Amino acid sequence: MTDANVHFQPLGRKTSPEQGKTLLELARDSGVAIESICGSAGKCGKCKVVIRSGAANLTPLNRSEVEILGDKSVHAGTRLACQAKIVSEGDVVVEVPEESRRGHHRLLAAGEERATKLRPAMTKAVIELPPATLADVRADDDRFLDVLRKGARASSMMSPGAHRTLPGALRDGSWLVTATLFRGKEVVRVDPGDTTGELYGVAVDIGTTQVVAYLIDLASGDVLATESMPNPQIPFGEDVMSRITFTTKTPDGNERLQKVILDGLNSLISKLSSSSGVPQENILEAMVVGNTAMHHIFFGIPAKHLASAPYAPAVRTSLVYDAGQMGVDIYPFGKVSSLPNVAGFVGADAIADLVSSGLYRDRQIGMMIDIGTNTEIIAGNKDRLVSCSCASG
Amino acid sequence: MTDANVHFQPLGRKTSPEQGKTLLELARDSGVAIESICGSAGKCGKCKVVIRSGAANLTPLNRSEVEILGDKSVHAGTRLACQAKIVSEGDVVVEVPEESRRGHHRLLAAGEERATKLRPAMTKAVIELPPATLADVRADDDRFLDVLRKGARASSMMSPGAHRTLPGALRDGSWLVTATLFRGKEVVRVDPGDTTGELYGVAVDIGTTQVVAYLIDLASGDVLATESMPNPQIPFGEDVMSRITFTTKTPDGNERLQKVILDGLNSLISKLSSSSGVPQENILEAMVVGNTAMHHIFFGIPAKHLASAPYAPAVRTSLVYDAGQMGVDIYPFGKVSSLPNVAGFVGADAIADLVSSGLYRDRQIGMMIDIGTNTEIIAGNKDRLVSCSCASG
């Protein structure tokens, strides 16, 4: 280790010159967002940078660069960040021109809303139990489930979260507690007293370009807060295909893309909580939609097979994970779910579009267009729907 | 922060003198095991230590110490580690006499074995699927579940582990894979090819004093390796009651005791894996037994209510957690389970005793005694069994 640095200007970020890494990889490692569409193939020419000093510490210009950059540009010290690799330890100063930088996008994250009757997966029930006495020494879980099951929830089961909160809640609530149930039968949490007035969830749309999260009061249906951010995966590839390419070319590519989107979502959830005053611990579920690639990567499922024929998705059915297991910072024994996917390039976001537009129950034939970096079009009515998608950003 | 230290002699451990902490707490923090039975109440006199220098940096002798230690002992510089607190920053040299140290115990961790027919919760099934083609672009999960469900596993569902491994396994195994199923219906993992010969689990007995773990070949029933260690919770209290007292007196006491036993179990699992050559990633389940307090603490369930009338346990029923969610270092989407508890002070270990002794199906009346730091006695036959327990270590 020397004290040498790769400086990215005018952003002022620096990192150590790791041998064998490209300037694009080093930029990503240090949080500098450089455009890249072709998945580091040296073809799109979007990642142009100018070497201000230390050019001798980099691999020589290769054929792709010569072809794409042209003489004048090469003369000015321009390189493709995805092609120039570190070969020796020494300072390198890299200027990232404005046109190579990923800026902020202006996207529509609000619109007209239709009145909707919510049927949240999480529900609450107030339960009163006979206290434990020396004449009735049943275990807390038996005592609790006996009452719950008499309330027609015959097959109720308990999650780790329920077991951890149950004994304290029973005694703190003087044997009157509120059970939170997922899909009416899995108890995920028990709180002392009556907390039926508090029921919160987040709805998340992971767009290729923009991520939007809404904090919803699941009792009233009100949107309590909205937050959005550019998709933090953009520095790894601008469109869906280049991100999938990144997962195939980097050994832990899928994990890295998953980590940045999880971190991004957690920062949105933290903001939703601050602005609304609802503690993150009280957010019980997150419903996530996105196109198939965004969906797979978010849930830690390999996305690479989406890019080769016959383009079958790994998962069509709706997923349900424990939030703690996923690493989503809401109540750890709450749930993170997705809507189902349709096909390789028509994802859970298209299902969300359909549900909210109501197209699936219309008699008349209609068409729904979701214009984004990837655009989906669905046409049809209650009898039959046809969908397709195409990169369009 | 200064460079001052609290030295524990003759063990050679040192730590910083944190104001307000007792010598017993500092000893625990630095891994020095000092006897303590009364839960730091200054009553049992087990935690005697001798201050070799730096006595002025400690609180003065209190009434408990004067009563328990006697003039001669006080004159020799003896203190109760649970009572003497740091009041100023400066070196303190503490001698921990042999009789105050928790030594290693000699316990029986092997014995006669009865022939047993194993019915492991994890089973494997080889499945061959029609390959994905442009004429059959079903999602991997639909394709997989269609075949699995035809094999009479009508209600099969998939865990996150299955979704993550499925697409790679299908293609690496040329559409012939092995599914691992929990309780015959939850798919937790999919491997390429036929891996039915490999099926491993660990059986864990968390005794108050000793922890024993066995690596079992679930196909043959063979014990492949055995490892044991003193229960790493011992420095926090020698018997069950003093450990429960620790959880009530320390704000994060339950979590701390859970962490040390989890860390201990993980070190045993790592040794089992090294000595047998079975990768930890291929251990699919862990079955854990222990008395009710050990059980509750291990699973992160508050144990404090076990110590007050009517001594109801929080949980009687058998628990099943995802290994990754629990922090047990086996296959993360494998399962960590417990046998059920019987009552407040008759735990899952007693059920294990019963199952392995066969007492529960005998016609003749018999008695089973599990002598440990806590001893359980069960008497009866197939018609009725009566159990009791008592501290006896």
Side-chain angles (χ1 to χ4, degrees):
Chain A
M1 263 318 267
T2 68
D3 291 336
N5 282 307
V6 179
H7 299 252
F8 290 98
Q9 299 296 359
L11 303 104
R13 300 278 177 87
K14 50 187 176 179
T15 185
S16 341
E18 282 181 68
Q19 292 229 1
K21 279 210 172 178
T22 65
L23 292 178
L24 186 63
E25 288 168 328
L26 291 172
R28 282 170 184 164
D29 292 348
S30 58
V32 174
I34 293 178
E35 289 256 15
S36 168
I37 293 184
C38 66
S40 300
K43 288 182 181 162
C44 70
K46 292 278 184 186
C47 65
K48 288 191 194 88
V49 293
V50 183
I51 310 303
R52 289 296 173 207
S53 70
N57 298 317
L58 300 172
T59 46
L61 277 165
N62 67 20
R63 183 194 294 255
S64 291
E65 292 180 273
V66 173
E67 281 176 10
I68 287 174
L69 297 169
D71 287 351
K72 195 174 153 193
S73 193
V74 164
H75 192 69
T78 305
R79 299 289 307 262
L80 294 181
C82 73
Q83 298 299 307
K85 285 183 191 167
I86 300 290
V87 287
S88 57
E89 283 196 358
D91 284 322
V92 182
V93 178
V94 181
E95 184 189 326
V96 185
E98 181 61 34
E99 68 267 27
S100 302
R101 261 175 264 158
R102 297 284 324 143
H104 286 274
H105 298 76
R106 287 171 55 91
L107 286 192
L108 190 67
E112 214 170 299
E113 279 181 40
R114 297 166 30 128
T116 307
K117 194 173 177 308
L118 266 71
R119 286 187 300 173
M122 290 288 180
T123 52
K124 286 190 168 187
V126 176
I127 291 163
E128 193 169 4
L129 299 94
T133 62
L134 284 169
D136 175 6
V137 296
R138 280 177 301 163
D140 293 345
D141 62 343
D142 281 341
R143 181 180 309 276
F144 175 79
L145 286 174
D146 280 355
V147 177
L148 197 65
R149 284 173 179 157
K150 274 180 199 145
R153 301 182 195 272
S155 65
S156 296
M157 46 174 279
M158 296 178 74
S159 84
H163 285 125
R164 290 181 189 184
T165 50
L166 178 65
L170 288 180
R171 288 158 185 90
D172 293 348
S174 304
W175 309 93
L176 184 130
V177 294
T178 301
T180 302
L181 289 109
F182 177 68
R183 293 188 178 168
K185 65 179 184 190
E186 182 186 350
V187 185
V188 297
R189 174 163 156 166
V190 185
D191 291 299
D194 181 347
T195 68
T196 46
E198 297 163 49
L199 195 64
Y200 306 106
V202 284
V204 181
D205 178 14
I206 304 179
T208 313
T209 308
Q210 189 84 348
V211 184
V212 189
Y214 307 86
L215 178 68
I216 316 263
D217 181 331
L218 297 176
S220 67
D222 292 342
V223 176
L224 302 179
T226 304
E227 295 287 345
S228 66
M229 71 192 306
N231 188 320
Q233 298 170 335
I234 291 172
F236 299 87
E238 193 172 10
D239 59 22
V240 164
M241 286 310 293
S242 54
R243 273 179 232 169
I244 296 176
T245 303
F246 177 80
T247 73
T248 59
K249 293 205 170 168
T250 316
D252 60 349
N254 222 83
E255 290 76 13
R256 284 177 70 185
L257 290 184
Q258 185 191 25
K259 184 171 185 319
V260 298
I261 184 64
L262 271 173
D263 290 349
L265 175 57
N266 284 336
S267 78
L268 293 183
I269 291 171
S270 167
K271 285 182 191 171
L272 289 174
S273 171
S274 306
S275 62
S276 65
V278 173
Q280 287 180 233
E281 180 74 16
N282 286 351
I283 301 174
L284 296 166
E285 60 170 317
M287 173 58 84
V288 177
V289 301
N291 63 53
T292 319
M294 294 303 104
H295 167 284
H296 281 30
I297 291 168
F298 178 78
F299 285 103
I301 297 163
K304 70 176 178 182
H305 310 295
L306 289 172
S308 48
Y311 316 103
V315 174
R316 183 193 58 79
T317 47
S318 172
L319 297 180
V320 180
Y321 286 19
D322 276 355
Q325 196 178 41
M326 273 293 298
V328 173
D329 295 344
I330 58 172
Y331 174 58
F333 302 101
K335 302 291 182 184
V336 177
S337 313
S338 73
L339 290 177
N341 291 309
V342 178
F345 286 93
V346 183
D349 51 350
I351 298 281
D353 288 337
L354 266 185
V355 170
S356 60
S357 70
L359 185 60
Y360 68 98
R361 53 179 183 208
D362 286 350
R363 280 167 169 272
Q364 286 198 306
I365 291 178
M367 182 181 291
M368 196 211 67
I369 309 177
D370 180 352
I371 302 176
T373 311
N374 209 61
T375 289
E376 291 84 25
I377 303 182
I378 302 180
N381 65 1
K382 68 181 179 56
D383 300 319
R384 188 179 174 214
L385 293 161
V386 177
S387 66
C388 63
S389 79
C390 183
S392 62
Chain B
M1 260 323 259
T2 69
D3 291 335
N5 281 306
V6 179
H7 298 251
F8 291 98
Q9 299 297 358
L11 302 105
R13 300 278 178 83
K14 48 189 179 180
T15 184
S16 340
E18 284 181 66
Q19 292 227 4
K21 278 210 173 180
T22 66
L23 292 178
L24 185 65
E25 288 169 327
L26 291 172
R28 281 171 185 163
D29 291 350
S30 59
V32 174
I34 292 178
E35 289 256 16
S36 168
I37 294 186
C38 66
S40 300
K43 287 184 181 162
C44 70
K46 292 277 185 187
C47 66
K48 289 191 192 88
V49 292
V50 182
I51 311 304
R52 288 296 172 206
S53 70
N57 298 317
L58 301 172
T59 47
L61 277 164
N62 67 19
R63 183 194 295 254
S64 293
E65 293 181 273
V66 173
E67 279 173 13
I68 286 174
L69 296 170
D71 286 353
K72 197 174 150 189
S73 192
V74 164
H75 193 69
T78 306
R79 299 290 305 262
L80 293 182
C82 72
Q83 298 299 307
K85 285 183 190 163
I86 301 289
V87 287
S88 58
E89 282 195 1
D91 284 322
V92 182
V93 178
V94 181
E95 184 189 325
V96 185
E98 180 62 33
E99 69 267 23
S100 301
R101 260 176 263 157
R102 294 290 321 148
H104 285 275
H105 297 77
R106 286 169 56 90
L107 286 192
L108 190 68
E112 214 171 300
E113 280 182 36
R114 298 164 29 128
T116 308
K117 193 172 178 308
L118 266 72
R119 284 188 300 174
M122 290 289 180
T123 51
K124 287 191 167 185
V126 176
I127 291 162
E128 194 169 1
L129 298 94
T133 62
L134 285 170
D136 174 7
V137 296
R138 280 176 299 163
D140 294 345
D141 62 342
D142 281 342
R143 182 180 309 277
F144 175 80
L145 286 174
D146 279 355
V147 177
L148 196 67
R149 285 175 178 156
K150 274 179 197 144
R153 301 182 197 273
S155 65
S156 294
M157 47 174 277
M158 297 179 74
S159 85
H163 285 124
R164 290 180 189 186
T165 50
L166 179 66
L170 288 178
R171 288 156 186 92
D172 293 346
S174 303
W175 308 93
L176 184 131
V177 294
T178 302
T180 302
L181 289 109
F182 178 67
R183 294 188 178 168
K185 66 179 187 192
E186 183 186 349
V187 185
V188 296
R189 173 162 156 168
V190 185
D191 292 298
D194 181 349
T195 67
T196 45
E198 297 164 51
L199 197 61
Y200 307 106
V202 284
V204 182
D205 179 14
I206 304 179
T208 313
T209 308
Q210 190 83 351
V211 184
V212 189
Y214 306 86
L215 178 68
I216 318 266
D217 181 331
L218 297 176
S220 67
D222 293 341
V223 175
L224 302 179
T226 304
E227 295 287 347
S228 67
M229 72 192 307
N231 189 320
Q233 297 170 336
I234 291 173
F236 300 86
E238 193 173 8
D239 60 23
V240 164
M241 285 310 294
S242 54
R243 274 180 230 167
I244 295 177
T245 303
F246 178 80
T247 72
T248 58
K249 291 205 168 168
T250 316
D252 60 348
N254 222 80
E255 289 75 14
R256 283 177 70 185
L257 289 183
Q258 185 191 25
K259 183 171 187 321
V260 297
I261 185 65
L262 272 172
D263 290 349
L265 175 57
N266 284 335
S267 77
L268 293 182
I269 291 171
S270 167
K271 286 182 190 171
L272 289 173
S273 171
S274 306
S275 62
S276 64
V278 172
Q280 286 178 232
E281 181 74 16
N282 286 350
I283 301 174
L284 297 168
E285 59 170 321
M287 173 57 82
V288 178
V289 300
N291 62 55
T292 319
M294 295 303 102
H295 166 283
H296 280 31
I297 292 168
F298 178 79
F299 285 103
I301 298 162
K304 69 176 180 180
H305 309 295
L306 290 172
S308 49
Y311 315 103
V315 174
R316 184 192 58 78
T317 46
S318 173
L319 297 180
V320 180
Y321 284 19
D322 277 355
Q325 197 178 41
M326 272 293 299
V328 173
D329 293 345
I330 60 173
Y331 174 58
F333 301 101
K335 301 291 181 184
V336 177
S337 312
S338 74
L339 290 177
N341 293 309
V342 178
F345 285 95
V346 183
D349 51 350
I351 298 281
D353 287 337
L354 265 184
V355 171
S356 61
S357 70
L359 185 62
Y360 69 98
R361 53 179 181 211
D362 287 349
R363 279 166 171 272
Q364 286 196 308
I365 290 177
M367 182 183 287
M368 196 212 66
I369 309 178
D370 180 353
I371 302 177
T373 310
N374 208 61
T375 290
E376 290 86 25
I377 302 182
I378 303 180
N381 64 1
K382 67 183 178 56
D383 299 318
R384 189 181 175 212
L385 292 161
V386 176
S387 66
C388 63
S389 79
C390 183
S392 61

